[in-house]
């Protein structure tokens, strides 16, 4: 909730997760969080926001790491609960999750939702 950003477009989120944008508008570094490749939220995020399968995204990050061009790779955490915890504690963090019925109120009390997609 402490992040100055109140809204992001899908294009802006894509730029963050593809290493095209590394900082917030105030110059602070962005802390990216990702879910494991097998998580349904990761699959949906990769398809809808990045326009490719999660497996392809993982391969692209591996290639960037091998060629030493990965400037800000996302940190993969085991669960939505960990993403929520990290994002709630780090003002420069961003992550994603699938919103389930009754879950939105709980999330809103801890983090700021800057974009939604279906």
């Amino acid at each position: 909730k402490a992040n100055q950003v109140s809204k992001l477009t899908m294009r802006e989120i894509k730029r963050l997760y593809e290493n095209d944008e590394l900082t917030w508008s105030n110059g602070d570094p962005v802390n990216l969080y990702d879910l494991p490749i097998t998580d349904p939220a990761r699959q949906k995020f990769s398809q809808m926001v990045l326009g490719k399968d999660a497996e392809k995204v993982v391969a692209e990050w591996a290639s960037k790491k091998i060629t030493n061009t990965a400037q800000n790779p996302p940190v993969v955490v085991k669960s939505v609960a960990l993403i929520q915890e990290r994002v709630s504690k780090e003002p420069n963090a961003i992550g994603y999750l699938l919103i389930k019925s009754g879950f939105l109120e709980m999330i809103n009390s801890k983090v700021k939702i800057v974009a939604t997609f279906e």
Side-chain angles (χ1 to χ4, degrees):
K1 287 198 175 260
N3 191 305
Q4 86 249 348
V5 174
S6 59
K7 186 170 177 127
L8 289 172
T9 65
M10 289 304 133
R11 184 174 182 274
E12 290 169 323
I13 295 168
K14 182 177 181 176
R15 289 183 53 76
L16 292 171
Y17 273 86
E18 289 190 338
N19 223 176
D20 294 329
E21 193 69 47
L22 304 173
T23 62
W24 296 109
S25 59
N26 67 0
D28 288 343
V30 176
N31 301 337
L32 301 168
Y33 287 98
D34 239 338
L35 289 166
I37 195 168
T38 57
D39 192 290
R42 169 99 184 243
Q43 295 290 332
K44 189 166 187 174
F45 177 82
S46 294
Q47 283 292 330
M48 295 190 78
V49 177
L50 304 177
K52 48 190 114 171
D53 292 332
E55 293 80 5
K56 182 165 175 67
V57 175
V58 169
E60 289 174 354
W61 274 111
S63 176
K64 286 177 184 178
K65 288 176 183 177
I66 289 168
T67 60
N68 207 24
T69 58
Q71 297 178 47
N72 189 29
V75 174
V76 177
V77 295
K78 293 180 183 181
S79 69
V80 168
L82 283 174
I83 282 187
Q84 183 179 334
E85 179 183 329
R86 300 262 179 110
V87 171
S88 71
K89 292 179 180 177
E90 299 174 27
N92 296 323
I94 187 170
Y96 57 86
L97 48 86
L98 290 177
I99 297 177
K100 298 175 184 169
S101 179
F103 200 51
L104 189 57
E105 294 77 22
M106 184 178 72
I107 293 166
N108 269 340
S109 69
K110 297 182 180 187
V111 299
K112 185 188 312 178
I113 296 173
V114 297
T116 59
F117 59 92
E118 291 184 30

